[in-house]
């Protein structure tokens, strides 16, 4: 739940300074800390930025690197609080670079933790989890208090999908809190446990955690945290069946996303599907509103960076011209020997300038290509997802109509069209998830000892040729059936299915040939897939392996199959390439090491 993150940020901002105040009670330090507290929630960011800079400079002079980076962290948290994620990420990277330069190894985990936090607030849970776990590895475990916020944030991001894992992380944080006898933080942790128990529908755990929470309120009223009080009451009232009272508490939540999310959960517990649907609509609207703010912020900040880069380039060109004029004036008064040296120097300078201009042209071309790819991707995604969704929606309305009467053949065709559209959407999402997950994977286990011929025959046998296609798939092999290679069977199966799908999609009838052979010069097994289609132009022979690139934007697919196939093959120690010597269609070759 993203808003719970914001709550933790606001609470953790100044609690993190407790140790600082205990060590530095001078008036200057207290004034700087008070300025941070005063301007943190002020949307007029300049005042807070000045306060944060003053705070950093003060502790830099004191040679207190921990509090120096705390000033960095507070400014980043302020940006996160106002949805400036692009700006926050840039500052985090700058802080990380500063830590590396100063070799502050004990502080590395802070930057890593903040990067995870930014990803989590943007909804990228996998990347957030990766950086939180990396931060745990980087923390100096001799001071376990530094682990509390990381484990709590891990619990927060996993609460909706993996509540049991979230509970484990929370229990770890709670154990650290109890060992340090932090009563305020302990009441926070117990309140959070009530929320997780509600997400798990574990009513026994909820009741027990709620009992402890209220007992802590009685026993330690001055050290009791009310951070999660409204959330706790919502969960308890919903669990007790007092749904109207629980709904009333949701209206006290200041964050719209939290408000509608809990209203949706209450309706689910109550079994009120109609109200649940309305709450879901409001929840999605609130999430979309937040996402729009994030996207707008990133676009604005990116545009600012581009403007800065352009201005720096103009200044650099201006400085180059000034230096050139000065050199010409000075060397004009020199003797012929000096003039000769000047001419040689000028030629070198112009050569460098030409190289810089060439590099700028390359950068411009890459930017234009990136923009084109982005627009193609958005158009393809709009078409590839909207079209099957419209088909599913249209046929669903027809079939659900009480007046709908049709023949078994028509029903079979409708069922086929709906199933095909559903599979298309599923395939697109799986490709996007697969290409994203494999970007972080460095190694694929190669533990399967398989026969190339047996695998190819099995894939061809199970491959479903489109009903409207006259394609015939033929397998040829120069290998014996007993010839084995060690690789990953499932990943190789995905690569072959991708190449077969492309061959059937682009071939104009005829025969698709799958052939396996041994390339003795490279000591690699080569499996080729050949079709008799229109082929691929030479200038596109490598572009087709770029993400989202499509030669024909009106064909099915989003341009991820071939890039994913090549990446997987390379992770298996081989490659996927286009045979540019074959001109009667297209031939793709998978090469894999024999050993």
């Amino acid at each position: 739940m993203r808003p719970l993150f914001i709550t933790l940020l606001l609470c953790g901002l100044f609690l993190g300074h407790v140790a600082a105040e205990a060590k530095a009670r001078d008036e200057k330090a207290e004034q700087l800390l008070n300025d941070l507290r005063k301007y943190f929630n002020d949307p007029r960011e300049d005042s807070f930025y000045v306060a944060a800079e003053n705070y950093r400079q003060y502790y830099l002079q004191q040679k207190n690197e921990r509090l120096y980076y705390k000033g960095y962290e507070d400014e980043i948290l302020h940006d996160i609080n106002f949805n400036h994620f692009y700006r926050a990420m840039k500052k985090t990277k700058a802080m990380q670079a500063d830590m590396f330069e100063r070799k502050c190894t004990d502080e590395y985990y802070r930057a890593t933790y903040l990067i995870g936090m930014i990803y989590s607030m943007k909804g990228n849970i996998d990347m957030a989890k990766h950086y939180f776990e990396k931060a745990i590895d980087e923390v100096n475990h001799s001071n376990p208090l530094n682990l509390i916020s990381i484990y709590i944030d891990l619990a927060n991001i996993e609460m909706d999908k993996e509540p049991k894992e979230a509970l484990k992380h929370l229990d770890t944080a709670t154990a650290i809190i109890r060992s340090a006898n932090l009563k305020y933080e302990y009441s926070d942790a117990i309140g959070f446990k009530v929320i997780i128990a509600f997400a798990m529908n574990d009513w026994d755990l909820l009741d027990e955690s709620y009992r402890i929470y209220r007992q802590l309120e009685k026993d330690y009223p001055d050290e009791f945290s009310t951070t999660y009080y409204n959330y706790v009451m919502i969960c308890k009232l919903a669990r007790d069946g007092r749904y109207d009272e629980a709904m009333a508490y949701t209206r006290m939540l200041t964050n719209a996303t939290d408000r509608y999310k809990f209203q949706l959960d209450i309706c689910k517990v109550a079994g009120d599907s109609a109200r649940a649907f309305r709450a879901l609509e409001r929840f999605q609207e609130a999430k979309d509103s937040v996402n729009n703010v994030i996207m707008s912020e990133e676009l604005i900040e990116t545009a600012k960076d581009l403007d800065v880069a352009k201005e720096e380039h103009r200044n650099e060109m201006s400085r180059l011209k000034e230096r050139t004029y000065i050199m010409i004036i000075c060397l004009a008064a020199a003797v012929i020997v000096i003039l000769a040296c000047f001419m040689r120097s000028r030629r070198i300078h112009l050569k460098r300038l030409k190289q810089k201009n060439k590099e700028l042209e390359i950068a411009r071309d890459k930017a234009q290509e990136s923009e084109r790819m982005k627009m193609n991707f958005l158009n393809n995604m709009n078409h590839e997802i909207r079209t099957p969704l419209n088909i599913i929606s249209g046929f669903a309305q027809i079939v659900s109509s009480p007046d709908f009467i049709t023949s078994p053949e028509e029903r079979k065709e409708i069922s086929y069209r709906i199933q095909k559209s559903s599979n298309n959407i599923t395939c697109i999402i799986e490709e996007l998830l697969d290409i994203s997950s494999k970007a972080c994977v460095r190694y694929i286990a190669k533990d399967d000892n398989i026969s190339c011929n047996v695998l190819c025959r099995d894939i061809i046998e199970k491959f479903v040729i489109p009903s409207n296609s006259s394609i015939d798939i033929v397998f040829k092999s120069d290998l014996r059936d007993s010839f084995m290679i060690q690789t990953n069977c499932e990943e190789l199966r995905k690569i072959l299915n991708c190449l077969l799908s492309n061959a059937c999609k682009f071939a104009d009838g005829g025969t698709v040939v799958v052939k396996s052979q041994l390339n003795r010069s490279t000591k690699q097994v080569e499996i080729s897939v050949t079709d008799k289609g229109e082929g691929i132009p030479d200038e596109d022979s490598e572009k087709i392996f770029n993400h989202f690139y499509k030669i024909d934007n009106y064909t099915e697919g989003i341009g991820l199959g071939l890039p994913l196939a090549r990446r997987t093959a390379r992770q298996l120690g081989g490659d996927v390439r286009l045979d540019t010597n074959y001109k009667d269609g297209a031939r793709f070759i998978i090469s894999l090491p024999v050993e």
Side-chain angles (χ1 to χ4, degrees):
M1 290 186 180
R2 180 176 175 273
L4 289 183
F5 257 127
I6 296 178
T7 302
L8 289 172
L9 292 176
L10 297 175
C11 293
L13 173 62
F14 302 116
L15 288 176
H17 292 280
V18 172
E21 291 186 296
K23 293 180 180 178
R25 285 291 183 178
D26 60 282
E27 293 182 0
K28 178 67 173 179
E30 291 185 355
Q31 180 59 47
L32 291 171
L33 182 58
N34 288 336
D35 287 344
L36 286 178
R37 291 168 171 165
K38 176 181 178 182
Y39 296 117
F40 182 81
N41 289 311
D42 191 341
R44 294 172 296 181
E45 55 198 23
D46 290 342
S47 299
F48 182 81
Y49 290 161
V50 171
E53 177 63 19
N54 292 338
Y55 186 91
R56 286 197 298 272
Q57 292 303 319
Y58 176 79
Y59 283 107
L60 184 60
Q61 294 173 3
Q62 301 294 321
K63 297 182 178 180
N64 188 330
E65 292 176 334
R66 177 173 178 78
L67 294 181
Y68 166 70
Y69 289 119
K70 188 65 182 174
Y72 257 118
E73 183 176 329
D74 293 344
E75 185 170 328
I76 293 166
L77 294 179
H78 175 274
D79 288 339
I80 293 175
N81 187 40
F82 289 98
N83 295 325
H84 301 318
F85 297 117
Y86 183 91
R87 193 183 309 171
M89 184 65 80
K90 285 181 59 179
K91 292 179 181 178
T92 304
K93 294 293 186 180
M95 181 178 75
Q96 190 177 53
D98 190 82
M99 288 175 174
F100 289 153
E101 183 178 350
R102 298 177 188 275
K103 299 181 179 179
C104 300
T105 55
D106 287 343
E107 303 299 320
Y108 285 175
Y109 80 95
R110 287 194 180 196
T112 305
Y113 167 67
L114 285 171
I115 293 173
M117 185 178 295
I118 293 169
Y119 275 120
S120 68
M121 301 290 281
K122 294 176 68 175
N124 192 333
I125 302 304
D126 290 337
M127 291 298 293
K129 184 177 179 181
H130 167 75
Y131 279 99
F132 285 150
E133 291 174 348
K134 184 179 178 182
I136 292 174
D137 294 336
E138 293 175 348
V139 166
N140 184 349
H141 286 252
S142 62
N143 184 7
L145 295 180
N146 294 333
L147 292 165
I148 294 174
S149 59
I150 303 177
Y151 277 115
I152 289 178
D153 287 338
L154 269 172
N156 206 328
I157 63 174
E158 293 190 328
M159 182 169 58
D160 289 332
K161 293 186 177 179
E162 298 290 341
K164 291 183 179 179
E165 286 297 316
L167 189 59
K168 290 180 183 179
H169 294 312
L170 179 60
D171 288 340
T172 302
T174 304
I176 298 172
I177 291 170
R178 294 195 68 180
S179 65
N181 196 26
L182 303 174
K183 297 182 178 61
Y184 185 92
E185 289 78 2
Y186 181 58
S187 61
D188 259 346
I190 296 300
F192 194 14
K193 183 175 285 190
V194 173
I195 300 171
I196 295 179
F198 181 72
M200 297 170 61
N201 292 334
D202 189 339
W203 306 130
D204 292 337
L205 178 61
L206 189 152
D207 291 338
E208 177 61 18
S209 301
Y210 179 79
R211 183 191 64 77
I212 297 173
Y213 186 78
R214 298 310 296 265
Q215 189 63 43
L216 289 172
E217 182 181 12
K218 294 178 182 178
D219 295 342
Y220 308 104
D222 295 332
E223 297 180 85
F224 179 79
S225 170
T226 60
T227 301
Y228 299 117
Y229 186 82
N230 287 340
Y231 297 89
V232 170
M233 293 305 299
I234 291 169
C235 296
K236 177 60 177 173
L237 290 170
R239 182 265 180 278
D240 291 342
R242 297 157 65 181
Y243 305 121
D244 291 337
E245 294 178 58
M247 282 291 187
Y249 266 95
T250 63
R251 289 188 282 272
M252 298 180 188
L253 303 180
T254 57
N255 187 280
T257 307
D258 262 4
R259 185 185 314 127
Y260 298 132
K261 177 64 171 65
F262 274 97
Q263 288 180 4
L264 174 61
D265 291 341
I266 293 168
C267 293
K268 288 180 180 179
V269 173
D272 189 343
S273 58
R275 293 182 68 185
F277 181 75
R278 291 194 296 271
L280 177 61
E281 287 184 326
R282 292 193 291 269
F283 173 64
Q284 291 295 340
E285 290 175 358
K287 284 181 64 178
D288 290 343
S289 176
V290 173
N291 290 335
N292 287 337
V293 171
I294 295 173
M295 291 178 63
S296 298
E297 171 71 16
E298 290 187 347
L299 288 173
I300 292 171
E301 292 295 335
T302 303
K304 289 181 180 178
D305 285 350
L306 288 174
D307 290 339
V308 170
K310 290 178 181 178
E311 183 63 27
E312 289 177 353
H313 174 67
R314 285 195 294 268
N315 292 337
E316 177 65 19
M317 294 300 295
S318 177
R319 287 192 292 269
L320 285 173
K321 289 180 180 179
E322 290 176 1
R323 286 196 292 268
T324 302
Y325 294 148
I326 294 173
M327 289 173 60
I328 293 173
I329 293 173
C330 294
L331 294 175
V335 294
I336 296 176
V337 175
I338 298 176
L339 180 61
C341 293
F342 161 74
M343 295 300 295
R344 179 175 178 273
S345 175
R346 186 171 183 274
R347 284 195 299 271
I348 294 174
H349 170 73
L350 291 176
K351 182 178 180 181
R352 291 176 180 173
L353 184 59
K354 182 178 179 180
Q355 181 63 28
K356 284 188 176 182
N357 289 334
K358 185 177 180 180
E359 292 173 357
L360 289 173
E361 289 176 359
I362 293 172
R364 180 201 62 197
D365 293 342
K366 287 183 177 179
Q368 291 175 347
E369 178 66 13
S370 175
E371 179 66 18
R372 188 189 71 81
M373 293 282 287
K374 181 187 74 173
M375 294 307 299
N376 286 344
F377 169 69
L378 292 175
N379 291 334
N380 288 335
M381 289 297 293
N382 180 58
H383 172 74
E384 295 297 333
I385 292 180
R386 188 185 297 274
T387 299
L389 281 177
N390 287 339
I391 292 173
I392 293 171
S393 176
F395 280 125
Q397 292 178 12
I398 293 173
V399 172
S400 62
S401 173
D403 299 328
F404 176 67
I405 300 174
T406 185
S407 65
E409 291 77 10
E410 289 177 333
R411 284 186 174 275
K412 183 177 180 181
E413 176 64 18
I414 290 174
S415 176
Y416 168 76
R417 295 285 296 279
I418 292 175
Q419 185 177 4
K420 180 182 177 184
S421 298
S422 177
N423 289 339
N424 286 344
I425 295 175
T426 301
C427 182
I428 290 171
I429 294 174
E430 286 179 349
E431 282 186 343
L432 289 171
L433 293 176
D434 212 6
I435 203 74
S436 174
S437 64
K438 280 185 168 54
C440 301
V441 174
R442 297 181 180 177
Y443 175 76
I444 294 178
K446 294 177 281 188
D447 301 330
D448 301 325
N449 198 25
I450 64 172
S451 166
C452 290
N453 291 349
V454 173
L455 177 64
C456 290
R457 292 192 189 102
D458 181 60
I459 291 174
I460 293 172
E461 180 181 347
K462 294 179 180 179
F463 187 80
V464 179
I465 300 175
S467 60
N468 59 349
S469 174
S470 58
I471 296 290
D472 184 24
I473 301 178
V474 175
F475 175 63
K476 299 180 180 179
S477 178
D478 294 341
L479 305 175
R480 298 187 303 276
D481 286 354
S482 59
F483 186 86
M484 311 292 283
I485 63 171
Q486 190 160 354
T487 185
N488 187 296
C489 181
E490 185 60 30
E491 296 297 336
L492 180 55
R493 186 181 293 272
K494 289 181 181 178
I495 297 173
L496 277 169
N497 275 318
C498 172
L499 297 183
L500 279 173
S501 296
N502 278 357
C504 292
K505 184 192 303 182
F506 295 105
D508 186 15
T511 301
V512 172
V513 179
V514 179
K515 181 178 181 181
S516 61
Q517 62 185 13
L518 177 63
N519 189 327
R520 299 186 183 278
S521 63
T522 61
K523 296 182 180 180
Q524 288 184 322
V525 169
E526 294 183 346
I527 304 173
S528 62
V529 179
T530 307
D531 64 62
K532 298 289 186 178
E534 296 181 0
I536 297 171
D538 290 342
E539 62 269 19
D540 291 323
S541 60
E542 280 302 315
K543 292 181 180 179
I544 57 176
F545 292 102
N546 294 334
H547 294 167
F548 311 116
Y549 184 85
K550 294 172 62 177
I551 297 176
D552 184 357
N553 290 324
Y554 295 97
T555 59
E556 288 185 359
I558 58 174
L560 283 180
L562 289 175
L564 184 59
R566 170 174 276 188
R567 174 175 290 173
T568 304
R570 288 179 175 176
Q571 289 174 328
L572 292 174
D575 201 357
V576 173
R577 60 184 173 84
L578 175 70
D579 185 357
T580 55
N581 295 323
Y582 179 73
K583 301 300 182 181
D584 294 332
R587 174 180 291 152
F588 287 90
I589 300 175
I590 308 168
S591 58
L592 294 170
V594 175
E595 297 181 356

